[in-house]
Amino acid sequence: MFIRKVIALCLLLVPVCSSTLVHANPLSPFGYPPFETVAIHANSNNKDYELYIQLPKSYRDTKANYPFIIVNDTSFAFPITNGAMALMGGAVVKEAIVVGISYSKGDDRMVSRTRDYTPTFSPVDKNGNSSTARMASGHAKEYVDFIERQVIPLLKEKYRIDPKKSVFVGHSYGGLLGTYILFKKPHLFTDYIIGSPSLWYDNRVMFTLEKAFSKAHSRLPVNVAMFVGSLENDYYPMVTDLLAMEKQLRSRDYEGFSLRVEVLQGESHHSVFPGLLSKGLMATLSLEK
Amino acid sequence: MFIRKVIALCLLLVPVCSSTLVHANPLSPFGYPPFETVAIHANSNNKDYELYIQLPKSYRDTKANYPFIIVNDTSFAFPITNGAMALMGGAVVKEAIVVGISYSKGDDRMVSRTRDYTPTFSPVDKNGNSSTARMASGHAKEYVDFIERQVIPLLKEKYRIDPKKSVFVGHSYGGLLGTYILFKKPHLFTDYIIGSPSLWYDNRVMFTLEKAFSKAHSRLPVNVAMFVGSLENDYYPMVTDLLAMEKQLRSRDYEGFSLRVEVLQGESHHSVFPGLLSKGLMATLSLEK
């Protein structure tokens, strides 16, 4: 009888513990930045995500509004951005709220990122992805709807957000996603940090999207910092493609558009992100801007 | 009676929950790297610390031994190193166990790092530190004893460690600490990533320590990667000092010594760490080495 009660009570208590687990990082007193976690269901694609939200050091002590930074590929981009902002925020860049959008719960992360970060269905683009991931490709539209209609509104409702400064961060397929947002819904962010974008994707579909955008718009009032490692011309011509995109963009002379493109010497696809992230933060959140 | 049992059981279970909180990051299923936390009391200075231990992706699936990386200043260095290794490990560098040593519990982090990372008592070195922090300076010896006698033995006992590869990472005062270990107990690590070391500290005491080391040793069989940002000659002559240290080290022609020194263009003291970290990882854990 007592054993049954213990089991019943354990079943009652376990969810309480789990819920507590998800809402605060207990390590904060000892130097690791605390972050909050918010569970969220995306209406556009019927998937469940989590938002990891890192408030800046001064947040609780002020009534100020803060820029926000949205990162994807949270397995690496959230801790790196978080750590970089712990060091840089308030010292050489504005303090900002860092928001990571998790991979969709229960899905393989390669499937999740291929589905959410690619703009078109292109199952032939291998690049190390499984056929399952490739067959899921092409649903960036739904994912961007989720960011626009649910993530950003939640941030605006729940936190003190500065509407004049919002930064997108993406690398690789995440950089492809950033480029897609740039040509489809540029108003979603004021600033874009785009690392090693997969411009080779689907027969260089981003060049086509840019061309379509240019026919309908003379203004592109955003600040964009794009980077690639000099060693990234190995498998796909990523350096060549990025410089071609720079040339195409500059030829438009978009009103209000600010662009910085840098090829980081000696860096490869897997080594370039930490360095480009800090350079991107300097280019978008500088204290002088 | 039942209520009493419930209360008793709650009292039993709460510590279990709390302990669980500290031992695993619950976000791992959704893409954020899991890490373990181990509480540890330092016998040498009677302070309490935590170790944050990030096992590499393949760890549970293999019986292999892994290099370890020890980082300090966990508020920024642990998440950045963690994120960088999530991206780079197995792709462009060896997978490795990342170990962060927290600031001492209950202490202001500036006091903790000034006490633990500086080799000598030097209350006149201001550089933004409070007088309390400065008055605590000069106890790197005890902190290094703690690393040597407790942290590394714990790692060797608890995890599958490759004794042939261990990397120290430190930036600023953490870089000063790395330089101190290099000239006092170089055998503690096979590789050192030293960012923007505070070589100005206490009338450039590191140059004196190096000279003393050189008189007693012709061998220094370690691999060292040192970095500084080109903009770091502003408050202290950090670029000048690092190049002077490079010259002094090269003049010794130590047997077995490998040194790379790089000045990272356009980077300041607060922006340089993410980029130097990935370059340092490439210089110490390259798959080709």
Side-chain angles (χ1 to χ4, degrees):
Chain A
M1 184 61 191
F2 179 67
I3 294 299
R4 287 228 315 253
K5 280 180 189 163
V6 168
I7 292 169
L9 194 60
C10 278
L11 290 174
L12 277 170
L13 282 176
V14 164
V16 174
C17 294
S18 301
S19 161
T20 308
L21 274 168
V22 181
H23 282 287
N25 186 320
L27 305 176
S28 55
F30 316 129
Y32 195 76
F35 60 88
E36 302 175 5
T37 302
V38 178
I40 183 167
H41 178 82
N43 298 327
S44 58
N45 66 6
N46 211 26
K47 294 283 179 185
D48 290 302
Y49 296 85
E50 286 186 329
L51 306 182
Y52 309 134
I53 295 164
Q54 170 73 62
L55 298 174
K57 271 176 281 191
S58 72
Y59 190 87
R60 300 284 181 213
D61 303 325
T62 74
K63 292 182 176 178
N65 293 327
Y66 290 82
F68 65 87
I69 304 170
I70 285 190
V71 308
N72 298 279
D73 271 327
T74 45
S75 57
F76 63 87
F78 184 69
I80 293 174
T81 308
N82 227 352
M85 287 302 291
L87 185 58
M88 298 169 72
V92 287
V93 299
K94 293 182 177 76
E95 288 192 289
I97 301 169
V98 182
V99 180
I101 307 176
S102 76
Y103 302 106
S104 56
K105 290 188 197 180
D107 292 326
D108 174 270
R109 74 175 63 178
M110 290 308 289
V111 170
S112 175
R113 71 195 295 276
T114 303
R115 182 193 64 228
D116 290 347
Y117 305 170
T118 63
T120 51
F121 179 61
S122 183
V124 294
D125 284 320
K126 291 186 180 175
N127 196 23
N129 280 351
S130 66
S131 60
T132 313
R134 286 181 275 134
M135 289 306 290
S137 64
H139 294 276
K141 182 182 181 307
E142 292 90 326
Y143 186 68
V144 174
D145 279 352
F146 164 56
I147 294 174
E148 181 176 22
R149 296 180 190 181
Q150 294 184 260
V151 177
I152 294 174
L154 179 146
L155 296 174
K156 286 184 173 166
E157 188 193 319
K158 203 169 150 61
Y159 303 97
R160 298 193 309 271
I161 295 296
D162 176 359
K164 294 192 299 298
K165 189 55 108 176
S166 53
V167 184
F168 174 92
V169 173
H171 180 57
S172 194
Y173 268 6
L176 180 72
L177 173 68
T179 314
Y180 172 77
I181 298 173
L182 191 60
F183 302 144
K184 284 292 185 181
K185 302 200 168 185
H187 59 278
L188 286 192
F189 300 92
T190 61
D191 295 75
Y192 292 77
I193 300 172
I194 292 177
S196 312
S198 313
L199 297 177
W200 48 264
Y201 188 80
D202 194 8
N203 294 314
R204 301 170 91 225
V205 66
M206 280 303 147
F207 290 84
T208 311
L209 286 190
E210 193 283 335
K211 193 174 175 186
F213 179 85
S214 75
K215 289 196 188 296
H217 302 84
S218 60
R219 275 174 57 76
L220 183 53
V222 293
N223 175 36
V224 179
M226 289 177 150
F227 304 90
V228 68
S230 67
L231 308 179
E232 294 195 69
N233 252 353
D234 49 353
Y235 193 66
Y236 289 104
M238 309 218 11
V239 180
T240 310
D241 278 356
L242 186 62
L243 295 177
M245 178 56 82
E246 177 185 20
K247 191 175 173 189
Q248 183 164 318
L249 280 166
R250 293 206 191 282
S251 76
R252 309 298 185 197
D253 203 18
Y254 289 118
E255 196 185 328
F257 186 58
S258 166
L259 177 66
R260 169 185 171 176
V261 175
E262 192 173 346
V263 180
L264 299 178
Q265 293 306 309
E267 300 292 352
S268 67
H269 195 65
H270 286 88
S271 75
V272 73
F273 183 74
L276 76 83
L277 190 269
S278 61
K279 284 177 191 293
L281 293 172
M282 290 299 294
T284 57
L285 285 166
S286 165
L287 288 175
E288 284 143 33
K289 289 194 180 184
Chain B
M1 183 60 190
F2 177 67
I3 295 298
R4 289 233 310 258
K5 279 182 188 162
V6 168
I7 292 168
L9 195 59
C10 279
L11 291 174
L12 277 171
L13 282 176
V14 164
V16 174
C17 294
S18 304
S19 156
T20 307
L21 272 169
V22 182
H23 282 288
N25 185 319
L27 305 175
S28 56
F30 315 129
Y32 195 77
F35 60 89
E36 302 175 6
T37 302
V38 178
I40 183 166
H41 177 82
N43 297 327
S44 58
N45 66 6
N46 211 25
K47 294 284 178 184
D48 288 302
Y49 296 85
E50 285 188 329
L51 306 181
Y52 309 134
I53 295 164
Q54 169 74 61
L55 298 174
K57 274 176 278 191
S58 72
Y59 190 87
R60 300 286 182 210
D61 303 324
T62 74
K63 293 184 174 177
N65 293 327
Y66 290 81
F68 66 87
I69 304 169
I70 286 191
V71 308
N72 299 279
D73 271 326
T74 46
S75 57
F76 63 86
F78 184 69
I80 293 174
T81 308
N82 228 352
M85 286 302 291
L87 185 58
M88 298 169 73
V92 288
V93 299
K94 293 182 177 76
E95 288 191 289
I97 300 169
V98 182
V99 180
I101 307 176
S102 77
Y103 302 108
S104 56
K105 291 189 197 180
D107 291 327
D108 175 88
R109 74 175 63 179
M110 291 309 289
V111 171
S112 175
R113 71 195 294 275
T114 303
R115 181 193 63 227
D116 290 347
Y117 305 170
T118 63
T120 50
F121 179 60
S122 182
V124 294
D125 284 320
K126 291 187 181 174
N127 195 24
N129 281 349
S130 66
S131 61
T132 314
R134 286 180 275 133
M135 289 306 291
S137 63
H139 294 276
K141 183 184 182 305
E142 292 89 326
Y143 186 68
V144 175
D145 279 352
F146 164 56
I147 294 175
E148 180 176 21
R149 296 180 190 181
Q150 293 185 259
V151 177
I152 295 175
L154 179 147
L155 296 174
K156 286 185 173 166
E157 187 192 322
K158 201 168 152 61
Y159 302 98
R160 298 193 310 270
I161 295 297
D162 177 359
K164 294 191 298 298
K165 186 59 104 174
S166 53
V167 183
F168 174 92
V169 173
H171 180 57
S172 195
Y173 269 7
L176 179 72
L177 173 67
T179 314
Y180 172 76
I181 298 174
L182 191 61
F183 303 142
K184 282 292 186 181
K185 300 199 168 183
H187 59 280
L188 287 193
F189 299 92
T190 62
D191 296 75
Y192 292 78
I193 300 172
I194 292 176
S196 312
S198 313
L199 297 178
W200 48 264
Y201 188 82
D202 194 8
N203 295 312
R204 302 170 92 225
V205 67
M206 280 302 148
F207 289 84
T208 311
L209 286 190
E210 194 283 334
K211 193 173 174 187
F213 179 85
S214 76
K215 290 196 187 296
H217 302 84
S218 59
R219 274 174 59 76
L220 183 53
V222 293
N223 175 37
V224 179
M226 289 177 149
F227 304 90
V228 68
S230 68
L231 308 178
E232 294 195 69
N233 253 354
D234 49 354
Y235 193 68
Y236 289 103
M238 309 220 6
V239 181
T240 310
D241 278 356
L242 187 61
L243 296 177
M245 178 56 81
E246 176 184 20
K247 192 175 172 189
Q248 184 164 319
L249 281 165
R250 292 206 192 282
S251 77
R252 309 297 186 198
D253 202 18
Y254 288 118
E255 195 185 329
F257 186 57
S258 166
L259 175 66
R260 169 187 170 175
V261 174
E262 192 173 348
V263 180
L264 299 178
Q265 294 305 309
E267 301 291 353
S268 66
H269 195 64
H270 287 87
S271 75
V272 73
F273 183 74
L276 76 82
L277 190 269
S278 60
K279 285 178 192 292
L281 293 172
M282 290 299 293
T284 56
L285 285 166
S286 165
L287 288 175
E288 284 143 32
K289 287 193 179 183

